[in-house]
C-alpha cells in the first residue's frame, strides 16, 4: 500500500518539474541582462549617456576602479557622459547570473579600447577586467542597483624619488 502514495508523489513532482519557471525567474533575469548588455557597446561608442543611465535605479551606485563611488542616476549619467565623450569601444561578457525573485547578481568580464590618443588622462589605451552587478526587478524591468568593476591592468608605478645627495662634509683648517 505504501507504493501507491509514493508513486503519486513522484508523478506530482515530475509534473511540477516540467512547469516553466514563473515570471521573475532566473531565466527572465538572464534574458533581460543579456538584452541590456547587448546595447552597452553601441550606446558607449555613440556617447548615449542618457540611455545608459536608464539601465540604473534612481538610487543606484557605481564603483569604478580607483575612484570614489558615484551615487544616483543623474550622477551616473554625468559619469558616463564624461567617459563616453571620447567614444570608447566596449565589450562585455556575462560569465554567470544568479537570480531569485526580484533580485539577480551578474558576474562577468569587460574590455575598453580607446582610439589612439583619446584615452582619458592616466588611462591605458586598452583596459580590461571583471565586474559584478546587482540587478533588481522594479515593476517588471530589470535595473542595476550596484555596479562595481575592477581593472586587470596594473596602475602605473610612480617615478622613483631622486636619490638623496650625499651630505657634503666641510672641513676647515685651523692654523
Amino acid at each position: 500500500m505504501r507504493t501507491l502514495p509514493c508513486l503519486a508523489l513522484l508523478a506530482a513532482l515530475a509534473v511540477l518539474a516540467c512547469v516553466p519557471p514563473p515570471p521573475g525567474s532566473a531565466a527572465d533575469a538572464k534574458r533581460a541582462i543579456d538584452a541590456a548588455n547587448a546595447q552597452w557597446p553601441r550606446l558607449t561608442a555613440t556617447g548615449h549617456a542618457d540611455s545608459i543611465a536608464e539601465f540604473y535605479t534612481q538610487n543606484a551606485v557605481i564603483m569604478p576602479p580607483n575612484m570614489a563611488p558615484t551615487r544616483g542616476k543623474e550622477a551616473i549619467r554625468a559619469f558616463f557622459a564624461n567617459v563616453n565623450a571620447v567614444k570608447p569601444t566596449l565589450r562585455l561578457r556575462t560569465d554567470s547570473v544568479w537570480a531569485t525573485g526580484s533580485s539577480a547578481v551578474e558576474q562577468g568580464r569587460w574590455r575598453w579600447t580607446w582610439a589612439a590618443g583619446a584615452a582619458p588622462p592616466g588611462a591605458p589605451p586598452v583596459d580590461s577586467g571583471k565586474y559584478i552587478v546587482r540587478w533588481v526587478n522594479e515593476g517588471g524591468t530589470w535595473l542595476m542597483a550596484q555596479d562595481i568593476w575592477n581593472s586587470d591592468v596594473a596602475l602605473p608605478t610612480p617615478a622613483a624619488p631622486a636619490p638623496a645627495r650625499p651630505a657634503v662634509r666641510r672641513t676647515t683648517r685651523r692654523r
Side-chain angles (χ1 to χ4, degrees):
M1 284 313 263
R2 283 185 161 179
T3 310
L4 190 56
C6 287
L7 286 176
L9 179 61
L10 285 174
L13 289 174
V15 168
L16 289 174
C18 295
V19 173
S25 69
D28 264 355
K30 175 83 165 87
R31 276 191 298 277
I33 291 167
D34 287 345
N37 286 348
Q39 295 178 57
W40 271 85
R42 176 184 54 80
L43 296 173
T44 301
T46 54
H48 287 280
D50 292 334
S51 297
I52 290 172
E54 290 305 310
F55 292 135
Y56 291 90
T57 64
Q58 282 299 324
N59 60 349
V61 178
I62 62 171
M63 295 169 270
N66 308 308
M67 295 180 191
T70 300
R71 298 175 189 281
K73 186 182 276 194
E74 184 54 34
I76 291 169
R77 187 207 61 73
F79 173 86
F80 284 110
N82 282 336
V83 170
N84 294 350
V86 291
K87 300 184 175 49
T89 300
L90 172 66
R91 284 192 342 224
L92 295 173
R93 183 188 80 217
T94 301
D95 291 334
S96 56
V97 173
W98 301 273
T100 183
S102 62
S103 189
V105 176
E106 172 195 13
Q107 180 257 314
R109 306 273 315 154
W110 59 271
R111 179 181 169 93
W112 290 101
T113 305
W114 309 92
V126 176
D127 198 357
S128 61
K130 57 265 177 207
Y131 67 87
I132 292 181
V133 178
R134 186 177 74 87
W135 294 78
V136 294
N137 189 323
E138 289 188 354
T141 302
W142 286 95
L143 299 171
M144 292 184 262
Q146 285 91 24
D147 183 4
I148 184 168
W149 63 98
N150 297 290
S151 175
D152 291 338
V153 177
L155 290 172
T157 306
R165 290 183 167 188
V168 178
R169 187 171 174 190
R170 295 185 183 210
T171 58
T172 55
R173 291 187 171 175
R174 291 191 173 187
R175 288 190 191 210

Coordinates of all heavy atoms in Angstrom, one line a residue, residues 156-164:
P156 N 50.0 52.6 -13.0 CA 51.3 53.0 -13.4 C 52.1 53.1 -12.1 O 51.6 53.6 -11.1 CB 51.2 54.3 -14.1 CG 49.8 54.6 -14.2 CD 49.0 53.6 -13.5
T157 N 53.4 52.7 -12.1 CA 54.3 52.8 -11.0 C 54.8 54.3 -10.9 O 55.2 54.8 -11.9 CB 55.4 51.9 -11.1 OG1 54.9 50.6 -11.3 CG2 56.3 51.9 -9.9
P158 N 54.6 54.9 -9.8 CA 55.1 56.3 -9.7 C 56.7 56.3 -9.9 O 57.4 55.3 -9.6 CB 54.8 56.7 -8.3 CG 54.3 55.5 -7.6 CD 54.1 54.4 -8.5
A159 N 57.1 57.4 -10.4 CA 58.6 57.6 -10.6 C 59.3 57.5 -9.3 O 58.8 58.0 -8.2 CB 58.9 58.9 -11.3
A160 N 60.4 56.9 -9.3 CA 61.2 56.7 -8.1 C 61.7 58.1 -7.7 O 62.1 58.9 -8.5 CB 62.4 55.8 -8.3
P161 N 61.8 58.4 -6.4 CA 62.3 59.7 -6.0 C 63.8 59.8 -6.3 O 64.5 58.8 -6.4 CB 62.1 59.7 -4.4 CG 61.9 58.3 -4.1 CD 61.4 57.5 -5.3
A162 N 64.2 61.0 -6.6 CA 65.6 61.3 -6.9 C 66.5 60.9 -5.7 O 66.1 61.0 -4.6 CB 65.8 62.7 -7.2
P163 N 67.6 60.3 -6.0 CA 68.5 59.9 -4.9 C 68.9 61.1 -4.1 O 69.1 62.2 -4.6 CB 69.6 59.2 -5.5 CG 69.6 59.6 -7.0 CD 68.2 60.0 -7.3
A164 N 69.0 60.9 -2.8 CA 69.4 62.0 -1.9 C 70.9 62.3 -2.2 O 71.7 61.4 -2.5 CB 69.2 61.6 -0.5

